[in-house]
C-alpha cells in the first residue's frame, strides 16, 4: 500500500517571516483536517529554521529544495547536507528541472547528490521529466530511462525506500499546462517498470511516484485517481493556503 505524498516546492518565494506565518496556518489546517497523506513543504534554505519551528507537531515534513554534492569545503554559495541535518532537515528535493535547466545540473551531478544524501540517511525526492521538444521528438521514455538509470546509479535496493520519484514534464511546470491524467499515468507506469528492471517488482510496487506540473485544486483528484500516481509535487499552488489545502485534502 503506497501512502499518498503531497509536497509543496516554494521555489524562491516567501521570505522567512512570510513563510513561517503561512506554514503556521497550514500546519494548523492540516492538523485540523486530519489528513492521511504525507505532507511536505520545501522553502528556501534561509527559511528552513523558521518554517520548521512553525510546523512543529503538525506532522508536516520540511525539506530543502537542493543541496551541495560535497560535505564541506571551498564551494562558495553552497549548502551542505550536513548543515541541513544539523538544523533538523532530513529531506531534500534533487534534480528539479530548474536546477537542470538554469544551473547546469547533469544526471551525474544529481546522482552524486542522491548518493551523498542517502549516505547521510536522508530522504530524497528525485525529479525527472522531459522537455516539450523531447516529448515531440518521441524521446519521452529514453529521457526518463536515462534520468532514472544515471540518477539512481549505485543506490542500493535497501536504500530505495528513501527515494521518491517526482515525474515533472518540464513543459507543464509553471505554465498552466497539465499533463492529462492518462499521459501522466503512462509516464508513471514507465517509471515503475524501469525501476522494476533496475531493482525488482517489489521495490517498484512500493515506490512513491509524484506528479508535478501545474497541479491545482481542480485537477488533483483526477490525477490521484490514476493507478500509478501516488502524490504530487506542487509549485505555484503550494504558496497559498486556499490553493494548497484543497490539494492536500483532495480525498475528503
Ligand atoms: C514544481 O516546481 O515542481 C512545479 C511542479 O511547479 P508548478 O506546480 O508551478 O507547475
Amino acid at each position: 500500500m503506497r501512502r499518498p505524498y503531497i509536497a509543496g516546492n516554494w521555489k524562491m518565494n516567501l521570505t522567512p517571516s512570510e513563510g513561517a506565518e503561512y506554514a503556521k496556518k497550514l500546519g494548523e489546517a492540516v492538523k485540523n483536517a486530519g489528513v492521511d497523506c504525507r505532507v511536505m513543504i520545501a522553502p528556501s534554505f534561509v527559511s528552513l529554521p523558521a518554517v520548521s519551528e512553525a510546523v512543529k507537531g503538525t506532522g508536516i515534513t520540511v525539506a530543502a529544495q537542493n543541496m551541495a554534492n560535497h560535505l564541506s569545503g571551498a564551494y562558495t554559495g553552497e549548502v551542505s547536507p550536513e548543515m541541513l541535518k544539523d538544523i533538523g532537515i532530513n529531506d531534500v528535493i534533487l534534480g528539479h528541472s530548474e536546477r537542470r535547466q538554469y544551473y547546469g545540473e547533469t544526471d551525474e551531478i544529481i546522482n552524486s547528490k542522491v548518493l551523498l544524501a542517502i549516505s547521510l540517511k536522508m530522504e530524497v525526492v528525485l525529479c525527472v521529466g522531459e522537455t516539450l521538444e523531447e516529448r515531440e521528438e518521441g524521446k519521452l521514455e529514453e529521457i526518463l530511462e536515462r534520468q532514472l538509470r544515471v540518477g539512481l546509479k549505485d543506490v542500493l535496493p535497501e536504500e530505495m525506500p528513501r527515494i521518491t520519484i517526482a515525474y515533472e514534464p518540464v513543459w507543464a511546470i509553471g505554465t498552466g499546462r497539465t499533463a492529462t491524467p492518462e499521459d501522466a499515468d503512462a509516464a508513471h507506469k514507465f517509471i515503475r517498470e524501469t525501476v522494476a528492471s533496475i531493482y525488482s517488482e517489489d521495490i517498484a510496487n512500493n515506490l512513491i511516484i509524484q506528479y508535478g506540473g501545474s497541479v491545482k485544486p481542480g485537477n488533483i483528484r483526477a490525477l490521484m485517481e490514476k493507478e500509478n500516481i501516488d502524490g504530487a509535487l506542487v509549485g505555484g499552488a503550494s504558496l497559498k493556503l486556499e490553493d494548497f489545502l484543497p490539494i492536500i485534502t483532495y480525498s475528503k
Side-chain angles (χ1 to χ4, degrees):
M1 187 63 184
R2 300 189 294 264
R3 186 180 179 207
Y5 184 10
I6 307 287
N9 171 17
W10 291 2
K11 310 194 187 192
M12 201 175 72
N13 294 295
L14 304 177
T15 62
S17 47
E18 289 166 347
E21 195 186 326
Y22 165 43
K24 184 126 197 101
K25 288 186 194 145
L26 181 68
E28 277 160 17
V30 163
K31 224 172 147 181
N32 291 340
V35 297
D36 34 37
C37 60
R38 181 176 177 195
V39 180
M40 176 259 262
I41 48 177
S44 67
F45 287 128
V46 291
S47 297
L48 288 168
V51 169
S52 298
E53 185 60 34
V55 298
K56 226 177 223 167
T58 66
I60 295 179
T61 298
V62 179
Q65 298 171 14
N66 183 30
M67 58 172 234
N69 56 349
H70 300 278
L71 280 182
S72 64
Y75 302 101
T76 302
E78 290 290 299
V79 172
S80 105
E82 272 191 338
M83 295 169 182
L84 296 174
K85 297 271 297 187
D86 189 65
I87 58 164
I89 301 299
N90 202 49
D91 290 67
V92 63
I93 298 172
L94 295 174
H96 191 279
S97 66
E98 287 152 16
R99 299 299 314 171
R100 295 176 187 263
Q101 228 178 328
Y102 307 143
Y103 300 96
E105 291 198 13
T106 61
D107 288 316
E108 288 73 17
I109 292 173
I110 293 159
N111 174 245
S112 66
K113 294 185 179 194
V114 170
L115 293 176
L116 191 56
I118 291 295
S119 75
L120 293 171
K121 307 262 179 285
M122 293 176 79
E123 304 221 359
V124 171
V125 174
L126 171 62
C127 304
V128 296
E130 81 289 1
T131 62
L132 186 58
E133 201 182 2
E134 288 162 345
R135 173 170 275 257
E136 285 174 348
E137 286 171 0
K139 291 186 179 160
L140 168 66
E141 295 191 350
E142 181 192 326
I143 298 296
L144 291 182
E145 178 148 13
R146 191 199 67 220
Q147 291 177 339
L148 289 167
R149 286 195 182 272
V150 182
L152 294 173
K153 190 170 177 292
D154 296 331
V155 175
L156 302 173
E158 59 269 30
E159 293 167 335
M160 281 304 285
R162 278 188 275 124
I163 303 273
T164 293
I165 301 293
Y167 169 61
E168 299 209 304
V170 179
W171 48 271
I173 297 178
T175 59
R177 286 184 66 180
T178 319
T180 63
E182 291 69 30
D183 281 348
D185 192 53
H188 283 220
K189 185 165 180 281
F190 178 77
I191 290 168
R192 212 176 290 289
E193 285 165 359
T194 303
V195 168
S197 81
I198 304 173
Y199 294 98
S200 67
E201 288 287 336
D202 193 42
I203 285 175
N205 285 337
N206 285 311
L207 179 72
I208 302 292
I209 309 177
Q210 297 172 324
Y211 168 77
S214 300
V215 173
K216 302 180 270 276
N219 59 24
I220 183 69
R221 207 181 250 268
L223 288 161
M224 291 300 290
E225 270 167 12
K226 291 292 172 193
E227 188 185 339
N228 287 289
I229 301 180
D230 310 312
L233 181 53
V234 186
S238 71
L239 294 170
K240 286 191 192 140
L241 189 65
E242 61 264 36
D243 294 328
F244 199 35
L245 191 62
I247 293 175
I248 294 168
T249 55
Y250 71 94
S251 63
K252 300 263 167 198

